[in-house]
Amino acid sequence: MGYLPIFIDVSDRTCIVLGGGEIAERKTRSLIEAGAIVVVISPDVTAALAATIHAGGVRHLARRYRPVDL
C-alpha cells in the first residue's frame, strides 16, 4: 500500500482525536499549531494532554468513541 501526503487547511475547523495516549498528544499538538478546534475523545488521557485540556486549548469527552461523534 502506498502513502499519499495530503495537506488540509484545518484552521477554525473541528478535528476529532480518538484516544488519549502519546500519539494523540502529538496529533493534538499538531492540530492546535495548525489552528484547528480540537476535541479529544478518550476515557483516559496522558498528563501532558490533560494539562492542555485544563488550559482550555482542547475540548475533552471523557468516554469511549461513539459512531454518532462523527
Side-chain angles (χ1 to χ4, degrees), residues 1-35:
M1 177 193 309
Y3 291 91
L4 175 67
I6 298 175
F7 296 91
I8 302 170
D9 181 3
V10 294
S11 342
D12 298 319
R13 304 290 296 231
T14 300
C15 296
I16 295 174
V17 175
L18 300 178
E22 290 179 21
I23 294 171
E25 268 182 51
R26 288 193 306 268
K27 289 180 180 182
T28 298
R29 189 171 34 253
S30 295
L31 287 165
I32 290 170
E33 289 171 5

Side-chain angles (χ1 to χ4, degrees), residues 28-66:
T28 298
R29 189 171 34 253
S30 295
L31 287 165
I32 290 170
E33 289 171 5
I37 300 162
V38 182
V39 178
V40 173
I41 302 174
S42 178
D44 302 302
V45 295
T46 64
L49 197 47
T52 303
I53 292 164
H54 292 298
V58 173
R59 182 172 166 219
H60 178 218
L61 300 178
R63 59 172 173 75
R64 297 182 66 89
Y65 161 78
R66 298 178 194 153

